[in-house]
Amino acid sequence: MADEKISTPLLDELEKGPWPSFVREIKSAAQTSPMARDLLGQLELSYEEKVGHWKHGGIVGVRGYGGGVIGRYSDVPEKFPNVAHFHTLRVNQPAGWFYTSQALRTLCDIWERHGSGLTNMHGSTGDIIFLGTKTDELEPTFSELTQAGFDLGGSGSDMRTPSACVGPARCEWACYDTLKLCYDITMEYQDELHRPAFPYKFKIKCAGCPNDCVASIARADLSIIGIWKDDIQQDDEAVAEYVANGLDIQADVVERCPTRCMQWDGKKLTINNRDCVRCMHCINVMPKALRPGKERGAVLLLGAKAPIIQGAILSSVLIPFVPEEELFDTVKELLSRVWEFWDEYGMNRERVGELIQRVGMANFLDAIGLDPVPEMVSHPRDNPYVFYKVDEEQSEQ
């Protein structure tokens, strides 16, 4: 049956052009997988009728876990029986997405035995995605994964699988050990990861520097972004070398600084580090001449989300600087306060960022016991009709 050809004229259009095509990959898998073959047929039908043919008709999972499996069923099982069930498993990825070739072979072998053979490396949260299996194959798949040292990730209204950039393993800009922190958080919050009990999902992403290679500031409910507290390390001889090689310091560095904290007189680059917002632009342009400072740690930001229910939100600064050696303890304490308030007052399917928008940052900070600091202000107040009034007690002093 897998050898039979299936006509897919609409999907064939998606194989044209210079970019890799998911259709080509599914066709390759269809040579040996009946599930992949029927997936092509149902997808072609959806393109013809302009209607999606997946339905969500029940909750499936593995014993003891409430998350990690996304149930999916076909509403035309009589036409495509091999995808009548087509459940997705999320597998917790290693920190920084480091694999051995043997580990990848092990994962692929497990999935070819129990599922469609189709994978997504990786999902938007970071997980290894196993696309398509039957309900009866969930437990055997889970059993083999755990024996191989893997675990399921998060799905539903729980803490989603924490993810991290490669950090100090390969990046010279990392201001803290993202891999260790990501692993520690994953181990600490196994219950929150596998058993949904929150109003909605909660994502944690660890970025080693403000380049934010895991896009935490746009997607994570808790962003942990590495920064430094002291001055940028500067090598004047290396700056001169960049100039000698044709770099226009004024145009390419100074004028592109968002806070204009740099000056160039033709010979000397001067940085007003008090006005620096750690955007990394100058360091990225001149990596041999400029480096992050030596007093390193991370900034904790809260509340980002993609535009699913409401519009997109970028995360807001909550704690401007935490030394690296205090990061794990500070994150644990912060999460306990945030989750307690969110559990009590969050509405169904309301992310933390939306809760903050609804109750106001001032009330949220008061509830979790944090004092406001200037770094929380994204831009100055622009309403000229709000006036500061000195209360009676202050006026009498």
Side-chain angles (χ1 to χ4, degrees), residues 347-361:
M347 298 189 298
N348 185 40
R349 293 177 66 83
E350 182 178 53
R351 299 282 286 273
V352 167
E354 295 166 328
L355 171 66
I356 295 173
Q357 283 191 330
R358 179 165 60 85
V359 304
M361 179 60 85

Side-chain angles (χ1 to χ4, degrees), residues 50-67:
K50 297 182 175 62
V51 174
H53 285 289
W54 296 115
K55 65 177 182 178
H56 297 271
I59 297 176
V60 291
V62 298
R63 184 173 300 174
Y65 282 21

Side-chain angles (χ1 to χ4, degrees), residues 272-286:
N272 181 1
N273 281 276
R274 291 190 62 184
D275 289 341
C276 174
V277 292
R278 280 63 170 167
C279 75
M280 290 290 291
H281 171 71
C282 61
I283 296 175
N284 291 333
V285 175
M286 299 190 296

Side-chain angles (χ1 to χ4, degrees), residues 53-320:
H53 285 289
W54 296 115
K55 65 177 182 178
H56 297 271
I59 297 176
V60 291
V62 298
R63 184 173 300 174
Y65 282 21
V69 179
I70 302 169
R72 187 173 288 113
Y73 302 87
S74 171
D75 68 1
V76 283
E78 67 285 352
K79 292 184 178 180
F80 307 105
N82 291 303
V83 291
H85 300 180
F86 200 76
H87 308 313
T88 289
L89 278 80
R90 287 180 175 166
V91 182
N92 197 325
Q93 79 280 0
W97 299 284
F98 281 101
Y99 302 91
T100 63
S101 57
Q102 182 59 47
L104 289 173
R105 289 190 182 96
T106 298
L107 288 169
C108 291
D109 289 345
I110 291 172
W111 195 230
E112 286 183 351
R113 283 193 292 272
H114 299 290
S116 68
L118 297 172
T119 63
N120 178 359
M121 296 283 186
H122 299 83
S124 60
T125 298
D127 301 275
I128 306 158
I129 305 297
F130 282 177
L131 291 164
T133 192
K134 300 176 182 178
T135 302
D136 292 343
E137 294 292 344
L138 290 175
E139 286 292 348
T141 306
F142 178 58
S143 177
E144 286 203 39
L145 282 171
T146 54
Q147 289 175 18
F150 288 91
D151 197 359
L152 297 189
S155 69
S157 297
D158 59 9
M159 187 187 85
R160 297 298 178 84
T161 314
S163 64
C165 68
V166 297
R170 295 195 67 182
C171 179
E172 59 186 324
W173 305 141
C175 293
Y176 71 95
D177 192 337
T178 57
L179 308 176
K180 182 179 186 302
L181 182 64
C182 182
Y183 177 81
D184 289 345
I185 290 173
T186 302
M187 294 297 102
E188 178 73 19
Y189 297 110
Q190 286 289 294
D191 193 58
E192 290 79 3
L193 178 60
H194 292 135
R195 297 169 183 87
F198 291 159
Y200 201 21
K201 55 190 170 184
F202 192 94
K203 297 182 178 181
I204 301 174
K205 295 185 182 296
C206 305
C209 78
N211 282 324
D212 195 10
C213 292
V214 287
S216 66
I217 200 169
R219 299 190 299 171
D221 298 272
L222 176 63
S223 310
I224 307 172
I225 302 178
I227 59 168
W228 61 96
K229 192 175 183 180
D230 54 347
D231 295 349
I232 294 175
Q233 299 181 67
Q234 182 173 340
D235 184 338
D236 289 332
E237 292 184 2
V239 172
E241 184 179 343
Y242 276 108
V243 174
N245 289 330
L247 178 66
D248 189 334
I249 300 287
Q250 183 65 35
D252 295 334
V253 179
V254 175
E255 293 181 5
R256 292 185 179 179
C257 173
T259 59
R260 296 293 191 269
C261 73
M262 313 181 80
Q263 291 184 337
W264 171 249
D265 63 5
K267 296 182 179 179
K268 171 69 175 176
L269 178 67
T270 304
I271 304 175
N272 181 1
N273 281 276
R274 291 190 62 184
D275 289 341
C276 174
V277 292
R278 280 63 170 167
C279 75
M280 290 290 291
H281 171 71
C282 61
I283 296 175
N284 291 333
V285 175
M286 299 190 296
K288 293 181 180 180
L290 303 176
R291 301 181 64 83
K294 296 180 180 180
E295 189 178 353
R296 300 183 179 187
V299 55
L300 304 184
L301 304 96
L302 199 72
K305 61 175 286 291
I308 305 298
I309 306 301
Q310 299 180 18
I313 305 173
L314 295 180
S315 55
S316 302
V317 172
L318 210 61
I319 302 179

